[in-house]
Amino acid sequence: MNLKFQLTRAFIISVISLAAFALMATLIEAHKIVRFDSTIINSVQGLESPALTAIMKFFTFIGSTKIVVILSILIIYFLYKVLHHRLELILFIAVIAGTPIINSILKSIFHRARPEFHRLIEIGGYSFPSGHAMNAFSVYGILAFLLWRHIATRTGRTLLIIFSIIMILMIGISRIYLGVHYPSDIIGGYFASGFWMTTTIWFFQWYVERQPQLKGRQLKKT
């Protein structure tokens, strides 16, 4: 695929993600998304059962900081030792390390309290945007981006995308089901991570494109 097209696409997606996040934040601040949140929460929590609760707790555990750190270390090892792609390693680390920092900054800005509906687990801190949603989107989004080019078959790529989407959605839904996040927290988290990930990819692709030019200039100087 043409590199300039990749740069343009990444830029467009990042702008759309930023605009969507800003819209979501505006609706939340104006209290114009209360009915939407309540409707989704009632629908999701209306499915409550012991088996489903166990499943949702599992997905929340998978999206926890502890598991994200372990998974990230394994992916870093795979990128470095197996694929020998050090540039991709830098991209992965930048996306994963930046996500919790951005989440912390955004939560300190908006100070949104967590929902006071039926809770199945207890947790502190602010609610918007969801850290689990942001981590899930960043980890499985950048993983799909990096592995896509190393999978030759259409079936393999399709399975990769399906797996990533399922993990992102289920981790987000689990937070709604367990009563610790509004749906708008989850959606806002996806958009925030979408902006950060695509912006980082844009810089990464730009750097890859510039590398041959920089090497050429260095050769001329020597």
Side-chain angles (χ1 to χ4, degrees), residues 158-171:
T158 301
L159 290 175
L160 173 65
I161 296 301
I162 292 174
F163 170 77
S164 298
I165 291 174
I166 288 175
M167 293 303 295
I168 291 169
L169 290 179
M170 288 305 299
I171 290 172

Side-chain angles (χ1 to χ4, degrees), residues 17-123:
S17 298
L18 180 60
F21 177 82
L23 175 61
M24 183 62 67
T26 300
L27 292 174
I28 290 172
E29 289 293 299
H31 303 287
K32 292 185 177 180
I33 204 165
V34 175
R35 181 178 296 180
F36 169 81
D37 279 335
S38 299
T39 301
I40 299 299
I41 289 173
N42 290 334
S43 297
V44 173
Q45 291 194 330
L47 302 173
E48 183 181 344
S49 70
L52 188 56
T53 298
I55 292 172
M56 292 302 179
K57 285 184 177 180
F58 169 77
F59 277 105
T60 273
F61 176 69
I62 291 296
S64 65
T65 301
K66 178 181 177 180
I67 298 302
V68 168
V69 170
I70 294 173
L71 180 60
S72 297
I73 291 173
L74 293 175
I75 295 171
I76 288 170
Y77 178 84
F78 179 77
L79 290 174
Y80 186 80
K81 288 290 186 179
V82 180
L83 298 182
H84 305 291
H85 282 207
R86 295 180 181 179
L87 279 178
E88 292 184 348
L89 178 64
I90 294 172
L91 172 62
F92 178 81
I93 293 174
V95 171
I96 300 304
T99 298
I101 295 173
I102 294 173
N103 178 256
S104 179
I105 293 172
L106 291 174
K107 283 189 174 183
S108 67
I109 291 173
F110 292 102
H111 287 190
R112 190 186 197 189
R114 292 185 183 273
E116 297 180 355
F117 299 105
H118 176 53
R119 284 195 189 183
L120 298 178
I121 61 173
E122 288 300 324
I123 188 172

Side-chain angles (χ1 to χ4, degrees), residues 155-215:
T155 300
R157 289 180 170 182
T158 301
L159 290 175
L160 173 65
I161 296 301
I162 292 174
F163 170 77
S164 298
I165 291 174
I166 288 175
M167 293 303 295
I168 291 169
L169 290 179
M170 288 305 299
I171 290 172
I173 292 171
S174 73
R175 306 301 284 172
I176 301 170
Y177 178 92
L178 296 172
V180 294
H181 275 296
Y182 295 101
S184 51
D185 296 334
I186 306 301
I187 297 171
Y190 290 156
F191 284 134
S193 273
F195 167 74
W196 171 242
M197 186 179 73
T198 50
T199 300
T200 309
I201 289 173
W202 187 92
F203 278 106
F204 172 77
Q205 298 284 32
W206 175 83
Y207 177 76
V208 170
E209 183 182 33
R210 292 280 296 174
Q211 257 200 325
Q213 299 176 17
L214 294 174
K215 287 181 179 179

